[in-house]
Amino acid sequence: MLVYAVILVVSARAVPVAGDGGLLVHAPAGTIRGVPAADGDYVKFLGIPYARVNASNPFGAPIPQEKFGKVFDAFNESAICPQIKEEYFVLSNKTIDDYDGDLDCLRLNIFVPKSKTRNKATYIFIFGGNFVNGHSDTNIYGPKNLVRHDIIMVTFNYRSGPYGFMCMDIPEIPGNQGLRDQYAAIEWVRDNIGAFGGDPQKLTIGGHSSGSMLVDMHLLTARPRQFQQAILQSGTATNPSFLHRSDPTTLVSIARQLGFKTNDTYSALSFLAEASPKSVIEATEKYVWGPCVEKKFDGVAPFITEDPELSDGRNLDGLKILGGFTDRENMYSLYWNGSVFNVPNGVRNFLIEKIYIQNESDLLDIVHRFYVDDDADNEIIKFEMVDMISDINYIYPIQRQMTKYSKHINTSVYLYMFTYDGYLNRMKYLYNIKEAGATHSDELGYMFATKFLSDLRYSKEQRMIDRVTTLWTNFIKYGNPTPVRSELLPVSWPPLTADTMPCLQIGANLTLVSRPFRRRMAFWELFFDAHLDKILAGRAQE
Ligand SMILES: *[C@@H]1O[C@H](CO)[C@@H](O)[C@H](O)[C@H]1NC(C)=O
Ligand SMILES: *[C@@H]1O[C@H](CO)[C@@H](O)[C@H](O)[C@H]1NC(C)=O
Ligand SMILES: *[C@@H]1O[C@H](CO)[C@@H](O)[C@H](O)[C@H]1NC(C)=O
Ligand SMILES: *[C@@H]1O[C@H](CO)[C@@H](O)[C@H](O)[C@H]1NC(C)=O
Ligand SMILES: *[C@@H]1O[C@H](CO)[C@@H](O)[C@H](O)[C@H]1NC(C)=O
Ligand SMILES: *[C@@H]1O[C@H](CO)[C@@H](O)[C@H](O)[C@H]1NC(C)=O
Ligand SMILES: *[C@@H]1O[C@H](CO)[C@@H](O)[C@H](O)[C@H]1NC(C)=O
Ligand SMILES: *[C@@H]1O[C@H](CO)[C@@H](O)[C@H](O)[C@H]1NC(C)=O
């Protein structure tokens, strides 16, 4: 399992200012009061409940939030969903994993520029966290660099772990509850953003890593689409770590761990609905959670009904998509103790698990041999190995998916490769990585204001922040990341066509390249063409 490092410093609490007139918004959900931001010319609305967790079945679908009876003071973003929260403390260089959160957590934040522009475009960002943790904290996902381009930004919490991704094959817990939370949040934005100055017909959803995989699932689900554009950063629903198997014994086994001996699913559910989220999260710390293919039940609108690889993507027509990857996605794995590189047989087991060619030695050997020589020295080949793991985890899945999407009616698909190596490469900073290139999540430092990266680092990278945030917000506003050439963006970034795969390389310069890593990608294309049935069969048993 790959770890998506979630990091923050200390949680700051917003304090309402006195006499905050002009910050009241009368929305269909009720009247909401915000606070002016301290770090830019915008207003923050924090911790607005968009749905509720069902107390009788906290592992099931979210239920609607009633209209606020009195003014809702949106001053507090502290609520997070139950999880083992990974906190990185800059001052001591320590990561501390502690339980945090409660079930009153389905809340969203809205950041609105103070400009008078009507019908603003809105970006709804879905954080990553490997389906087990994460939260929409402004210490990690600070919006100031994006909202200064006159877009509205929305972040929100959704359930992960047992409460978000338990798959029981029963109508009460069909699986994918976290996706249902997200759907409810997007619906809330569609219905209410007009009151905040947003255009409900100009919604872009986006995410990173597992957040991006979930965004991709919103593209593929048969449920009606509620947005016009999508941003996929290093993650698709066809990624090898996306789909998980349902397990109808889950509730009973958690209940047993907590001392309630039963063989009956529904008794276990009643017991666990009363149990503290802390005890449930701690008991299931070693469990693996994620989206699953749901069984069909009368009266339950499903989210995932088949392997995303097989989805015809009916909702994709007319969609605009921006997506891509970094050039050395898995470089961080060299530095992470628990990674495939640092456990016995790690790489071999990774291949067995992730390519789903159930331990067919000859095929695995061919894959290995494509990247490295038989007697290669480990130290010398480490970057070939990084390429192999990165291609399987991220680079081939997103190129494959983007190519498919570009063939849908009226889509525009913009592909990027982030190679920039500077002061704000997030993961490189955290793992103290000195080698060239950009690793997983490095680009986020140039989009979001992140507390653990110092002001000094930010001040050295203003031009790169301007470039990246202008590209992204151009896309969010106009559906085109480079509508005009400028000194800042001296390129024209075209979408994919039937025969060409242009790609913007975002490095020290902005350079248009074609088919990044084309030989490696051609290898995987042939591999998938030859073995797709086996790959899908292997995934179904995962
Ligand atoms: C909450 O869950 C219970 C138990 O599954 C169910 O009977 C009830 O209908 C749910 N409430 C709502 C509002 O859906
Ligand atoms: C903010 O919310 C957190 C948790 O949801 C709560 O513990 C805290 O008291 C709240 N702070 C204020 C100022 O209301
Ligand atoms: C934190 O780690 C960095 C890089 O490894 C090191 O330069 C720095 O001195 C460390 N700081 C503390 C307080 O240990
Ligand atoms: C649960 O099932 C097992 C075997 O299937 C049985 O031995 C045990 O007595 C049952 N426990 C309860 C509480 O019913
Ligand atoms: C594709 O775009 C054309 C021109 O804007 C439009 O007439 C047509 O309805 C669109 N088709 C779909 C399926 O979106
Ligand atoms: C890495 O893992 C090994 C074996 O599990 C352990 O002994 C070692 O302390 C770990 N190192 C770090 C830096 O966590
Ligand atoms: C794969 O097969 C080899 C040889 O047949 C065997 O030794 C190994 O345990 C298998 N690995 C897994 C993960 O099944
Ligand atoms: C970037 O472009 C500038 C001017 O166009 C050029 O001088 C420089 O060498 C380029 N840098 C890289 C890394 O390609």
Side-chain angles (χ1 to χ4, degrees):
M1 251 294 146
L2 283 160
V3 163
Y4 174 78
V6 174
I7 315 101
L8 81 161
V9 192
V10 273
S11 133
R13 301 220 155 120
V15 180
V17 295
D20 49 0
L23 303 174
L24 272 189
V25 169
H26 303 282
T31 301
I32 301 166
R33 190 187 349 244
V35 284
D39 63 355
D41 204 18
Y42 65 100
V43 178
K44 309 194 279 188
F45 299 86
L46 302 172
I48 305 170
Y50 63 86
R52 287 189 300 127
V53 174
N54 182 344
S56 330
N57 177 13
F59 309 98
I63 59 179
Q65 162 72 37
E66 312 80 65
K67 190 171 171 169
F68 306 125
K70 54 185 174 58
V71 176
F72 182 81
D73 285 333
F75 303 156
N76 187 349
E77 65 162 334
S78 306
I80 72 168
C81 291
Q83 60 186 272
I84 304 291
K85 184 174 174 187
E86 294 172 34
E87 295 192 69
Y88 176 75
F89 294 87
V90 173
L91 290 181
S92 57
N93 275 351
K94 269 204 188 114
T95 304
I96 296 182
D97 298 349
D98 271 327
Y99 174 81
D100 199 358
D102 60 58
L103 288 167
D104 176 13
C105 66
L106 302 184
R107 290 162 181 261
L108 51 77
N109 307 317
I110 309 179
F111 307 101
V112 184
K114 280 188 187 154
S115 77
K116 293 272 183 284
T117 329
R118 294 158 63 100
N119 298 327
K120 291 182 172 66
T122 299
Y123 185 36
I124 307 172
F125 182 78
I126 299 181
F127 59 76
N130 213 14
F131 315 119
V132 294
N133 59 16
H135 42 86
S136 57
D137 193 312
T138 47
N139 283 318
I140 309 176
Y141 300 113
K144 71 169 183 185
N145 292 321
L146 289 158
V147 295
R148 72 197 164 109
H149 295 283
D150 207 23
I151 62 154
I152 295 175
M153 174 98 199
V154 177
T155 59
F156 65 92
N157 288 324
Y158 58 93
R159 286 171 293 167
S160 51
Y163 295 104
F165 290 102
M166 185 186 290
C167 296
M168 287 288 297
D169 290 345
I170 57 175
E172 295 82 359
I173 310 176
N176 308 316
Q177 286 70 238
L179 274 158
R180 288 176 163 81
D181 293 348
Q182 296 175 357
Y183 196 80
I186 299 167
E187 216 161 27
W188 193 100
V189 174
R190 184 202 59 193
D191 294 343
N192 288 279
I193 204 66
F196 293 84
D199 181 347
Q201 295 302 317
K202 263 196 231 166
L203 302 183
T204 301
I205 67 167
H208 173 256
S209 197
S210 62
S212 177
M213 299 176 203
L214 294 165
V215 166
D216 194 23
M217 200 57 237
H218 287 279
L219 269 48
L220 292 170
T221 182
R223 288 193 170 196
R225 197 178 86 200
Q226 321 185 69
F227 51 88
Q228 290 69 44
Q229 309 194 133
I231 296 180
L232 300 172
Q233 294 176 218
S234 305
T236 64
T238 51
N239 183 292
S241 60
F242 184 74
L243 269 195
H244 292 66
R245 196 180 41 203
S246 66
D247 181 357
T249 67
T250 311
L251 280 175
V252 163
S253 68
I254 303 172
R256 284 173 172 269
Q257 265 177 275
L258 294 180
F260 182 70
K261 303 267 181 283
T262 180
N263 288 341
D264 177 59
T265 296
Y266 290 92
S267 315
L269 175 54
S270 305
F271 170 77
L272 291 173
E274 299 287 323
S276 76
K278 182 171 193 281
S279 66
V280 171
I281 294 290
E282 286 176 351
T284 57
E285 209 181 333
K286 296 273 177 309
Y287 287 46
V288 175
W289 304 103
C292 63
V293 174
E294 293 168 42
K295 271 196 164 171
K296 293 192 175 70
F297 298 103
D298 285 346
V300 178
F303 220 96
I304 306 181
T305 53
E306 62 190 344
D307 189 309
E309 179 68 42
L310 300 173
S311 169
D312 65 3
R314 268 170 290 163
N315 271 333
L316 274 149
D317 294 352
L319 199 66
K320 293 191 162 66
I321 302 168
L322 182 154
F325 55 91
T326 68
D327 60 336
R328 283 187 162 164
E329 287 276 0
N330 274 97
M331 178 158 62
Y332 75 95
S333 305
L334 293 169
Y335 294 80
W336 170 43
N337 209 8
S339 88
V340 295
F341 295 120
N342 299 322
V343 298
N345 297 320
V347 170
R348 193 72 176 182
N349 288 334
F350 171 86
L351 291 178
I352 293 171
E353 273 176 39
K354 299 300 178 192
I355 316 180
Y356 302 101
I357 301 290
Q358 298 139 25
N359 207 359
E360 281 189 37
S361 284
D362 48 347
L363 276 178
L364 299 180
D365 287 343
I366 292 171
V367 172
H368 201 261
R369 206 180 304 141
F370 178 72
Y371 289 89
V372 294
D373 200 355
D374 299 328
D375 55 358
D377 177 289
N378 274 335
E379 194 46 37
I380 295 167
I381 60 164
K382 66 181 185 184
F383 284 110
E384 278 91 339
M385 301 290 268
V386 166
D387 288 344
M388 178 173 80
I389 307 289
S390 305
D391 289 350
I392 294 168
N393 274 334
Y394 302 107
I395 300 178
Y396 183 62
I398 194 142
Q399 288 205 25
R400 181 177 174 84
Q401 204 71 330
M402 298 286 271
T403 303
K404 267 194 210 169
Y405 292 167
S406 68
K407 301 197 166 100
H408 280 263
I409 301 166
N410 290 356
T411 56
S412 306
V413 176
Y414 299 94
L415 181 69
Y416 73 85
M417 170 166 69
F418 187 89
T419 62
Y420 187 68
D421 195 351
Y423 289 95
L424 299 177
N425 287 44
R426 264 180 40 159
M427 192 84 96
K428 288 185 78 168
Y429 166 76
L430 286 169
Y431 282 68
N432 198 20
I433 301 174
K434 301 289 187 225
E435 279 97 347
T439 190
H440 194 56
S441 89
D442 273 351
E443 80 277 20
L444 295 180
Y446 300 87
M447 293 167 191
F448 298 104
T450 304
K451 275 277 163 66
F452 63 80
L453 295 165
S454 66
D455 289 348
L456 183 62
R457 284 176 178 266
Y458 273 94
S459 67
K460 288 180 170 158
E461 296 288 5
Q462 193 57 48
R463 187 167 168 82
M464 196 61 193
I465 294 168
D466 290 346
R467 277 198 161 155
V468 171
T469 57
T470 305
L471 287 167
W472 259 238
T473 55
N474 276 345
F475 175 75
I476 290 160
K477 288 189 282 194
Y478 314 118
N480 178 354
T482 53
V484 290
R485 276 176 195 251
S486 62
E487 188 271 329
L488 185 68
L489 303 178
V491 285
S492 174
W493 177 4
L496 272 54
T497 69
D499 319 306
T500 65
M501 185 189 266
C503 173
L504 186 71
Q505 181 172 336
I506 305 175
N509 290 335
L510 299 175
T511 318
L512 210 58
V513 298
S514 164
R515 292 194 190 282
F517 307 134
R518 68 192 155 87
R519 290 170 203 277
R520 279 151 51 187
M521 296 304 109
F523 170 81
W524 284 108
E525 215 166 320
L526 291 170
F527 190 93
F528 267 63
D529 282 351
H531 303 294
L532 189 58
D533 289 349
K534 276 187 198 165
I535 292 169
L536 292 173
R539 258 187 215 176
Q541 293 167 18
E542 174 58 8

